[in-house]
Amino acid sequence: MLVAISIPIFNSQLEKSRDAVTVANIRAAYAQASTDVLTGSSTSKTEYSSTQEVVSKGTQAGLSDLEKELPIAEASKTTLKDSGLGNTPGTYKLTFTWSVTDGKISDTPTVSVGK
């Protein structure tokens, strides 16, 4: 009886840990993209972009709502959640894009996901 109860709980916690690894990988990619943008030069005066590879470990839909803590635009959080990034293991390319308005770079980038 206890085994029947504990297996779904274990699987749920295992998936949450996979999602936590994926979100940590996204955070690391964000940090690298930020560094690239701040130290690099851009030919565009309206936006700065950096593409980073992220390894996803999750096997079920969504990112266990952990994407809410990422320092990116709200619409991009939805994009990440709906992209399959959390439910299909593999390597994804995330492009972080900061817009420039009146000479100031935006605080939060938008993110697009590619395979």
Side-chain angles (χ1 to χ4, degrees), residues 27-57:
R27 260 194 217 99
Y30 167 81
Q32 182 63 46
S34 296
T35 302
D36 290 351
V37 166
L38 293 173
T39 60
S41 61
S42 175
T43 56
S44 171
K45 296 188 182 199
T46 59
E47 69 178 29
Y48 291 92
S49 294
S50 178
T51 300
Q52 304 292 322
E53 288 190 351
V54 171
V55 176
S56 174
K57 300 286 186 179

Side-chain angles (χ1 to χ4, degrees), residues 47-50 71-77 94-99 106 108-112:
E47 69 178 29
Y48 291 92
S49 294
S50 178
I72 59 176
E74 288 300 319
S76 294
K77 292 176 186 180
L94 271 56
T95 301
F96 297 85
T97 304
W98 285 263
S99 62
S106 63
T108 55
T110 57
V111 180
S112 58

Side-chain angles (χ1 to χ4, degrees), residues 45-107:
K45 296 188 182 199
T46 59
E47 69 178 29
Y48 291 92
S49 294
S50 178
T51 300
Q52 304 292 322
E53 288 190 351
V54 171
V55 176
S56 174
K57 300 286 186 179
T59 58
Q60 296 177 2
L63 291 168
S64 301
D65 287 335
L66 296 172
E67 76 282 350
K68 292 178 181 178
E69 300 172 12
L70 293 170
I72 59 176
E74 288 300 319
S76 294
K77 292 176 186 180
T78 303
T79 299
L80 286 175
K81 191 173 186 173
D82 296 342
S83 69
L85 182 73
N87 63 348
T88 307
T91 302
Y92 292 79
K93 291 182 187 271
L94 271 56
T95 301
F96 297 85
T97 304
W98 285 263
S99 62
V100 178
T101 306
D102 297 328
K104 296 180 181 177
I105 298 174
S106 63
D107 291 336

